[in-house]
Amino acid sequence: MDDYNLPFWIYLAVVTVFVGGAMKKILASHLSAGPTLVAWLGATVLVERLWAFCLPAVLLLVLLAVVCCVRSGSGTGPPPGPPAEGKAVFITGCDTGFGNAAAKHLDSLGLDVFATVLDLTGDGARALRRSCSSRLTLLQVDITQPQQVQQALLDTKAKLGLRGLWGLVNNAGVCVNLGDAELSLMSNFRGCMEVNFFGTVSVTKSFLPLLRQAKGRIVNISSPAGDQPFPCLAAYGASKAALNLFTETLRHELVPWGVKVSTILPSSYKTAPSSNNAYWEQQHQQLLQSLPPALMEEYGEDYIAETKDLFQSFAEHANPDLSPVVNAIVHALLSPQPQLRYFAGPGIGLMYFIHSYCPLSISNRFLQKLFVKKTLMPRALRKQSGLEANLGLSNNNNNEEKLQPL
């Protein structure tokens, strides 16, 4: 022990804190077995030389495996939290996707579900009526309209009577993007903010008195795009970043009231309207008609068309199984100790691990390889590259002529 000087012990302490924080995030991220094993091995190699004198690397790996098995085993099955019966949950955006699936599942568990839809006569509303019990209450609400939010609050209060509201699931959201931030219409930025941020804030503020009364839960469906710079998702990502900060602030402020707040970060899932080819074509045509001619000339119609095709292909290959997100919603509502953040879907935990602990250059390259992998440059850059190449070739020819013997 005497051979180790003070700088070594300081270095050991720093590395221990780093590795401990990394493993804490891994264990809380619901990573699949493969990436988790890679993370274990990496952590073991990192500390092997430092801890060889007091803790063999094999023993460290065994301890990490045992801890992870205990954690993963305790996370399976229904959470041993408060009983579902008699508890009321308000969910926004139940026409399709996560909201529709969550409303059905929560109704099957015995909760009183208040589900908002944009159209009471639409397919989503009809499907909920067919498959759910009489406890389900359908409400037509556009969360960007304060009058409709207030009417939904009055209707919910009338049904609850003296009870408070146990859960609020802010699921309603939109993603309207087809390209670079410069090409995104201002209406896209405003539309995403109105629904994903301002609408969610409006619903949350309106229903907070009922949630505080029940010491209940708030579950906000956000996106990794709110934390990381996904290419071509500037408007959507900015609105989700605002939502994430609002959620974090709300979590701290509601601790004295006993209201717990969770964020769910889904991976890519196949939800309407993103799975509809006509939707992408409509967005593409709208963008082409709205761009100024000068901007269209600099980027090129082929560049914009490739972006549309990449988004469409990405949506077509998205996961159709919504159960990881639904299970996360249920856990956040009914677990006695809900997590602050749920990484719902394969690869999300690994993505956040890379984002948190790797250099930005690696994290950004990972996102570029993972998401929209463009092959075309904007037209102006292609012309510039062609001009530079021609100039370079011309200069080489001139130099060769000058070097010719007389």
Side-chain angles (χ1 to χ4, degrees):
M1 293 290 181
D2 296 337
D3 295 337
Y4 296 94
N5 53 24
L6 182 61
F8 169 82
W9 288 108
I10 295 175
Y11 181 63
L12 175 62
V14 171
V15 172
T16 303
V17 171
F18 176 85
V19 174
M23 295 310 301
K24 182 179 178 182
K25 287 205 171 190
I26 291 172
L27 292 173
S29 300
H30 300 297
L31 292 176
S32 59
T36 305
L37 181 59
V38 172
W40 290 348
L41 294 175
T44 304
V45 171
L46 182 64
V47 300
E48 182 179 11
R49 292 178 63 85
L50 297 175
W51 284 8
F53 67 95
C54 62
L55 185 63
V58 174
L59 178 59
L60 175 63
L61 185 60
V62 170
L63 288 175
L64 289 174
V66 170
V67 171
C68 190
C69 288
V70 171
R71 288 291 299 270
S72 61
S74 63
T76 59
E85 291 79 3
K87 295 190 179 299
V89 178
F90 188 95
I91 312 176
T92 63
C94 296
D95 297 86
T96 58
F98 304 139
N100 191 278
K104 293 175 182 176
H105 189 65
L106 292 171
D107 177 79
S108 71
L109 294 178
L111 282 87
D112 297 336
V113 178
F114 295 84
T116 77
V117 293
L118 287 173
D119 184 4
L120 285 173
T121 63
D123 294 339
R126 287 197 296 268
L128 288 174
R129 288 193 185 96
R130 285 194 306 268
S131 59
C132 295
S133 69
S134 59
R135 292 188 308 273
L136 179 81
T137 301
L138 283 173
L139 301 168
Q140 184 164 313
V141 181
D142 179 347
I143 65 171
T144 66
Q145 302 300 316
Q147 301 88 346
Q148 295 186 27
V149 173
Q150 289 304 310
Q151 185 58 53
L153 176 62
L154 294 175
D155 294 341
T156 303
K157 280 183 175 180
K159 281 223 168 188
L160 287 176
L162 298 178
R163 290 188 298 161
L165 181 67
W166 174 254
L168 169 63
V169 181
N170 285 309
N171 167 72
V174 294
C175 177
V176 185
N177 271 92
L178 271 179
D180 307 51
E182 188 178 13
L183 298 178
S184 298
L185 306 176
M186 284 306 299
S187 60
N188 290 351
F189 285 91
R190 293 191 180 98
C192 286
M193 288 298 293
E194 282 294 335
V195 178
N196 301 339
F197 180 64
F198 292 118
T200 300
V201 172
S202 173
V203 172
T204 304
K205 285 172 60 66
S206 298
F207 283 83
L208 258 175
L210 293 177
L211 292 161
R212 288 190 286 103
Q213 179 186 338
K215 297 185 184 299
R217 310 286 173 84
I218 297 175
V219 182
N220 288 341
I221 311 299
S222 187
S223 168
D227 294 317
Q228 304 180 41
F230 279 80
C232 301
L233 285 181
Y236 179 72
S239 66
K240 290 297 187 179
L243 174 62
N244 288 347
L245 185 57
F246 171 71
T247 304
E248 297 291 331
T249 304
L250 202 62
R251 177 182 299 122
H252 292 290
E253 295 174 349
L254 293 179
V255 167
W257 296 96
V259 176
K260 294 181 171 62
V261 183
S262 297
T263 301
I264 295 179
L265 301 157
S267 60
S268 177
Y269 289 94
K270 187 172 291 186
T271 58
S274 62
S275 57
N276 185 349
N277 292 340
Y279 165 81
W280 294 108
E281 189 58 37
Q282 177 187 0
Q283 297 298 319
H284 178 60
Q285 293 301 323
Q286 181 183 355
L287 179 62
L288 293 180
Q289 294 169 9
S290 305
L291 282 180
L295 206 55
M296 175 70 78
E297 176 63 26
E298 291 196 338
Y299 277 88
E301 190 170 341
D302 54 349
Y303 177 88
I304 300 170
E306 184 194 41
T307 306
K308 185 264 293 184
D309 292 339
L310 289 170
F311 265 91
Q312 187 172 335
S313 175
F314 191 81
E316 288 174 353
H317 292 89
N319 189 357
D321 179 18
L322 308 183
S323 59
V325 179
V326 174
N327 292 338
I329 292 173
V330 173
H331 193 278
L333 289 172
L334 298 180
S335 172
Q337 293 298 327
Q339 299 175 24
L340 304 183
R341 285 190 156 198
Y342 290 85
F343 300 138
I348 296 297
L350 178 61
M351 182 195 306
Y352 270 85
F353 181 78
I354 293 173
H355 177 71
S356 300
Y357 292 106
C358 292
L360 282 177
S361 58
I362 296 177
S363 178
N364 290 340
R365 187 173 302 173
F366 178 77
L367 284 182
Q368 291 169 356
K369 296 293 184 183
L370 178 73
F371 193 50
V372 178
K373 294 176 280 190
K374 295 190 67 63
T375 60
L376 286 177
M377 289 193 303
R379 179 185 294 164
L381 294 179
R382 278 177 278 164
K383 288 183 177 179
Q384 181 179 339
S385 298
L387 179 60
E388 290 175 352
N390 290 335
L391 288 175
L393 181 61
S394 175
N395 289 335
N396 288 337
N397 291 336
N398 291 336
N399 291 335
E400 290 175 1
E401 291 176 359
K402 290 178 181 179
L403 293 174
Q404 292 292 330
L406 296 173

